[in-house]
Amino acid sequence: MTAKSYLHLGSVHGVESFQRHLNEYQIAIPCDAELTAGDSSPLAQPLSLNGIKIGNRFAIHPMEGWDGTSDGKPTELTFRRWRNFGRSGAKLIWGGEAVAVLHEGRANPNQLLINEQTKGDLARLRDVLIDEHRQATGSDDGLLIGLQLTHSGRYSQPNVKGRPEPRILYHHPLLDKRLGLNADYRLITDGEIREIIEAFHKSARIAREIGFDFVDVKHCHGYLGHEFLSAHTREGEYGGSFANRTRFLTEIVEGVRSGAPGLEIGVRLSAFDTVPYRPDPERSSPGKPGPGVPEPFESLLPYRWGFGVNVQDPVKPDLTDAVRFFSLLRELGIRLVNISAGSPYYNPHVQRPTLFPPSDGYLPPEDPLIGVSRQMSAARALKKQFSDLLIVGTAYTYLQDFLPYVAHAAVREGWVDCVGLGRMVLAYPELPLHAIEGRLPDRKRLCRTFSDCTTAPRNGLPSGCYPLDAYYKKSEMAAQLNEIKNRYRNKNAEA
Ligand SMILES: Cc1cc2nc3c(=O)[nH]c(=O)nc-3n(C[C@H](O)[C@H](O)[C@H](O)COP(=O)(O)O)c2cc1C
Ligand code: SF4
């Protein structure tokens, strides 16, 4: 199977053809045939929940650019990205991007940091976003802006590009191997966890001081918050029972409530997962990865290293964990939830459905529309059970030309409260505004999931939409990225 085997959405003309395709293959994705324009569009409807007001139904997901300074401040590229987020017209800015609460928890040496030295620059990031939003839409009424706070845990790489410095909570039989960690590799101690929790408290106080409406205590994509949820085998206060595995969150929330009163708290969650994937060794050759297949897990059953997986068959998602976690969020008074899935490090097809994988990835093991449907269906099921929580859905970018029609239907039918956009906004920041106006998207600007925004940072370059954003396309960085991609291609040819 190759990427060529799946329907290329760019070649589908007309929403009716797309609807027929969904019906024929029984893919559960709602899709309206027409867009309502302007104030009566479902996408234009304001939301109000216990005092939280959001002016429309588009959210921008956090997206970092690997482009901060070594001391964690934004650069012109970072400002440019945040301006684009503001220009999108989306009224919910979910986090901006992952910002590390401690240097050693940075995912790369260019990740933003939050502390007394960076707070002025982070405040300016928020300001430029608001200015741009006002210019694009005429008003910042109903604009809700959060900051995503993170510690990268197992995926920490704070000092040197390409030199991981994992901070792990437990030994994972499959992920440890990938990182080359021995059985005696040191675990984070309970004392260190308390210091990290303190750092979250301090960061939230700063975020409130500089005007953010909420902080997202990141629990997704394999980073530290997410790893806690699957720390079944960890001993001590932060592992084992559900109460222990969620103690990190509850202790962060306690300290934020007392130290930063009035600041809302949100959580971005990988609501389900699967085992790590790799290119099928049978169908790969050097430099030419095959389709993704799960790492062998048969000797590891029942599987005790996942959150949101069926323990007897861990390639299958199971929302039981997420339901329990959502009940806890409700108890903690957390009302803002952004649903994601899996991890870009070990099962990217689940997290970020893509037709053309990054150069170090694997070919899609399924039609990426199935991946979209999986995330949308999970969000729908959770929204049904937790109607009092404000739920943001993920994985819409792959829908390309049909994104506005699916977003329209998803909100109209109550699958989610807000439609979150990631890659599409790197390629085409104005898409949300155009969708609300009922305009057909500009086809030349649509993200076609070429993955350069992932390939670039994997190779030490800043992220961005190299194929479609003129700023990157014409840059020196684009020449470097081309060289890197050529090297991969030549490897292919030699193989
Ligand atoms: C370049 C890039 C950077 C990202 N950075 C973050 C991040 O900082 N925090 C986060 O939670 N997710 C991050 N993500 C994941 C996106 O927020 C989103 O979940 C993912 O791209 C799927 O949504 P999409 O299909 O609309 O792109 C990033 C994705 C990309 C492509
Ligand atoms: S590089 Fe551009 S087109 Fe490719 S996936 Fe990223 S945003 Fe989409």
Side-chain angles (χ1 to χ4, degrees):
M1 195 62 78
T2 68
K4 288 190 190 113
S5 321
Y6 301 117
L7 180 72
H8 282 216
L9 295 188
S11 68
V12 177
H13 291 282
V15 66
E16 294 79 11
S17 311
F18 179 62
Q19 286 173 320
R20 268 199 303 279
H21 177 75
L22 296 177
N23 281 339
E24 188 180 344
Y25 289 89
Q26 302 204 327
I27 302 173
I29 293 179
C31 180
D32 282 338
E34 283 180 11
L35 297 180
T36 324
D39 289 351
S40 49
S41 165
L43 297 167
Q45 299 315 304
L47 266 175
S48 169
L49 182 84
N50 300 342
I52 300 175
K53 288 197 168 63
I54 300 171
N56 64 33
R57 302 308 187 94
F58 274 115
I60 304 302
H61 287 315
M63 272 178 298
E64 57 178 314
W66 292 259
D67 51 16
T69 62
S70 55
D71 53 356
K73 294 177 178 164
T75 60
E76 189 37 48
L77 284 178
T78 328
F79 281 105
R80 189 173 177 278
R81 186 169 54 261
W82 282 57
R83 271 197 290 273
N84 280 344
F85 293 167
R87 214 165 83 218
S88 72
K91 290 288 186 184
L92 175 55
I93 306 297
W94 187 288
E97 62 186 275
V99 176
V101 299
L102 288 170
H103 171 77
E104 57 269 31
R106 291 166 91 184
N108 60 80
N110 298 99
Q111 187 169 48
L112 299 187
L113 263 171
I114 179 163
N115 56 38
E116 288 300 324
Q117 287 69 46
T118 61
K119 74 177 182 189
D121 296 272
L122 296 180
R124 279 206 298 130
L125 268 182
R126 178 180 163 276
D127 292 344
V128 298
L129 185 152
I130 296 173
D131 280 350
E132 195 72 26
H133 183 83
R134 276 201 210 110
Q135 280 183 36
T137 66
S139 156
D140 60 8
D141 285 352
L143 180 62
L144 193 83
I145 309 178
L147 189 68
Q148 184 176 60
L149 300 181
T150 191
H151 185 294
S152 299
R154 184 174 287 270
Y155 297 104
S156 300
Q157 197 174 120
N159 294 310
V160 180
K161 282 177 187 168
R163 195 184 78 196
E165 298 177 42
R167 306 280 200 277
I168 60 170
L169 295 172
Y170 61 85
H171 285 286
H172 189 299
L174 300 173
L175 296 179
D176 279 15
K177 262 193 224 147
R178 290 193 170 198
L179 287 163
L181 309 182
N182 296 325
D184 58 357
Y185 191 83
R186 202 177 80 77
L187 303 184
I188 302 182
T189 64
D190 284 6
E192 287 166 333
I193 291 172
R194 286 186 205 106
E195 284 168 19
I196 295 170
I197 291 171
E198 269 294 306
F200 270 86
H201 295 164
K202 196 166 159 218
S203 304
R205 289 198 293 274
I206 296 174
R208 174 174 171 269
E209 191 188 325
I210 59 184
F212 283 95
D213 299 302
F214 71 96
V215 287
D216 164 21
V217 183
K218 186 172 187 178
H219 274 70
C220 57
H221 304 165
Y223 297 110
L224 190 70
H226 187 204
E227 180 151 308
F228 270 107
L229 301 181
S230 58
H232 296 277
T233 57
R234 185 184 168 92
E235 288 173 0
E237 283 182 32
Y238 294 92
S241 68
F242 179 76
N244 283 358
R245 286 181 286 117
T246 52
R247 192 181 301 286
F248 178 69
L249 174 67
T250 51
E251 292 186 354
I252 288 175
V253 171
E254 270 168 29
V256 175
R257 296 261 190 253
S258 58
L263 183 72
E264 284 290 338
I265 300 173
V267 171
R268 189 161 206 220
L269 173 73
S270 281
F272 59 87
D273 210 340
T274 175
V275 297
Y277 270 59
R278 60 175 176 167
D280 185 351
E282 304 282 307
R283 288 180 287 172
S284 303
S285 48
K288 201 171 178 188
V293 289
E295 296 258 14
F297 56 82
E298 291 71 15
S299 62
L300 300 172
L301 299 179
Y303 192 75
R304 300 180 66 218
W305 302 273
F307 175 85
V309 299
N310 177 328
V311 294
Q312 295 304 338
D313 188 3
V315 286
K316 293 206 177 117
D318 184 336
L319 290 183
T320 315
D321 286 340
V323 167
R324 199 164 176 201
F325 188 75
F326 269 51
S327 303
L328 173 68
L329 294 181
R330 190 185 257 162
E331 274 170 38
L332 293 172
I334 293 176
R335 290 159 294 181
L336 296 166
V337 194
N338 183 324
I339 296 176
S340 184
S343 162
Y345 294 97
Y346 55 82
N347 47 32
H349 72 286
V350 169
Q351 194 257 345
R352 199 177 291 185
T354 298
L355 198 56
F356 308 100
S359 39
D360 63 347
Y362 48 77
L363 294 177
E366 62 185 4
D367 183 339
L369 280 176
I370 305 286
V372 176
S373 169
R374 197 184 291 117
Q375 286 208 41
M376 286 189 71
S377 301
R380 180 194 200 188
L382 291 164
K383 178 68 203 172
K384 244 189 195 157
Q385 282 199 55
F386 296 88
S387 57
D388 51 327
L389 303 187
L390 193 150
I391 299 209
V392 180
T394 299
Y396 286 75
T397 288
Y398 184 72
L399 294 159
Q400 304 167 46
D401 309 63
F402 309 107
L403 190 162
Y405 299 90
V406 172
H408 192 276
V411 170
R412 189 181 55 71
E413 293 181 17
W415 286 44
V416 282
D417 295 297
C418 292
V419 167
L421 300 185
R423 291 163 294 177
M424 186 58 82
V425 179
L426 299 179
Y428 182 179
E430 303 83 358
L431 182 110
L433 274 186
H434 290 179
I436 289 173
E437 288 164 6
R439 279 167 59 173
L440 286 180
D442 179 350
R443 304 196 73 220
K444 292 195 293 295
R445 301 185 63 198
L446 291 169
C447 167
R448 300 286 179 199
T449 68
F450 294 126
S451 291
D452 282 6
C453 52
T454 308
T455 299
R458 296 263 163 98
N459 289 281
L461 290 170
S463 182
C465 184
Y466 287 75
L468 297 175
D469 180 339
Y471 186 94
Y472 289 88
K473 209 170 170 174
K474 292 187 192 144
S475 68
E476 180 57 28
M477 300 174 296
Q480 291 175 31
L481 182 62
N482 269 339
E483 241 173 66
I484 290 163
K485 286 166 62 179
N486 280 338
R487 276 208 298 275
Y488 278 102
R489 271 187 218 115
N490 291 340
K491 240 164 122 192
N492 279 353
E494 280 163 25

